[in-house]
Structures are given as C-alpha cells and as structure tokens.
Amino acid sequence: MELIFATHNENKVKEINKLLPPGYLVKSLTDLKYDAKIEESGSTLEENALIKARTIFNAFKENCFADDSGLEVYALGGKPGVYSARYAGNQKKSEDNTNKILHELQGLNNREAQFRTVIAMVYNKTEYLFEGIIKGKISETPLGQNGFGYDPIFIPEKETLTFSQLTLSEKIKISHRSRAFQKLVEFLKS
Ligand code: ITT
C-alpha cells in the first residue's frame, strides 16, 4: 500500500520509515519534489494536521497523512503546543525554542510535560484523526545528540535519559508519533 506523508521534516520521515510494516510504502514531500510551503494557520494540532493532509490530497489526489506535533508543558498552561515550531520566533530554531522553555521553567518545581501528535489521514476521500501522547518531564539542561526539536530537553516517563540520549529505535518504541502511527496502521489493517 502506498501513502504520501505530507511533511518536509526528514526526521519525521526517518521515524515513520522505521515503523512501516511490510507491504507499506511511504513517499514524503521531498520524494515528490513538492516544495511549496503549507501555511499552518490552525489553532490546534488537529486543525494543522488536517490542513497539511487536505492540501496534499488536493495536490496529488492520493491517500495521504500528515502529523502535527507539539510539546505541552503543564506549568506553562500547555504551551508551546501548536506553536512548538516557532515558540521563540519565526526563525524556527530548535535551540532557541528549548532555551526559552528552560528559561520559563527556572525556579518552578513542576517540570511535567507531554508530547502530543495528531495524525490526519485522507483515505479513500474520507478524513480520519489519530492521536498519540507520551508523558514525561523537562530536563534541567539540554542533553544528547540524537533526534530533533525538543528531544534534548524531554525525559519520557520511566526513563532517566532525554529523547536525544536514546537511539532512534529506542525513541520510536514509545514516542507520541509512533503511538499515533500505530493506530493508523491498525486502522488500515482492520
Ligand atoms: P512538517 O509540518 O513539515 O511536518 P514541522 O517540523 O513543522 O514539519 P510540526 O509542525 O509537527 O513539524 O512540529 C512542530 C515542532 O514541534 C517541530 O518543529 C519540533 O520543534 C517539535 N517536535 C515535533 N515532534 C517532535 C519530536 O518527535 N521530538 C522533538 N520535537 C518535536
């Protein structure tokens, strides 16, 4: 089965490719040479995931899915959430974003947070949503070299290391995106 993954984020593509069951082929926007920017103008992860999936379905008329993901920090009222990519400004720099969170949490005891992914899929012209969540906490400093985005400051529950200190295989065993994607795969198998 062929599906388009409506993303320009190659780290996400790597994660999804590692999770693909036999018989599935995922093409990214890079594979399709689709360079146009998709305006993520929604105010929720659900809306943005749907915007991306619908845009690409309309362009290619093929089954496709998109994810929108965000870090939700409890002591910050769920921020940065849907604004995760540009939390510290439109330059969308991960280092600036993580530093901003660490700065805002200085002196606060509650460092609990969660990553949440919403995948929107257009399949046989019908829309579906799948959610995945991993709870955890924000580290005191950025640690580790792997992954992307907020991975260096996120310690998943039952772990002592950040997502960036885990290998890709270890991250995708438990990650928000994997959990949402597993639901998508279960749906397609059913
Ligand atoms: P696409 O919209 O092209 O898929 P994006 O990088 O803009 O790529 P999102 O809007 O879904 O992706 O994600 C918002 C930001 O949340 C992203 O830029 C990262 O900083 C962060 N993020 C998402 N998933 C993450 C993960 O698994 N680990 C760490 N940070 C993540």
Side-chain angles (χ1 to χ4, degrees), residues 92-144:
K92 294 188 174 178
K93 244 186 111 195
S94 294
E95 200 185 336
D96 296 348
N97 290 335
T98 51
N99 283 337
K100 182 168 178 188
I101 302 258
L102 292 178
H103 181 73
E104 289 178 332
L105 287 183
Q106 261 173 23
L108 300 182
N109 287 327
N110 182 0
R111 303 185 75 85
E112 284 174 49
Q114 65 182 29
F115 266 122
R116 191 162 77 89
T117 287
V118 175
I119 292 181
M121 177 170 69
V122 185
Y123 185 72
N124 294 344
K125 297 186 189 152
T126 305
E127 294 175 348
Y128 302 89
L129 291 175
F130 306 93
E131 184 189 56
I133 291 176
I134 172 83
K135 292 181 189 294
K137 64 179 183 209
I138 304 299
S139 60
E140 296 288 337
T141 52
L143 290 170

Side-chain angles (χ1 to χ4, degrees), residues 5-9 12 15 40 52 67-71 84-85 92 94 97 115 148-151 163 171 176-177:
F5 184 9
T7 184
H8 286 110
N9 183 326
K12 290 184 179 179
E15 291 185 5
E40 295 180 35
K52 291 187 256 190
D67 89 290
D68 203 44
S69 300
L71 178 69
S84 290
K92 294 188 174 178
S94 294
N97 290 335
F115 266 122
F148 67 101
Y150 296 92
D151 283 344
F163 262 163
K171 177 185 173 187
H176 45 306
R177 186 166 302 98

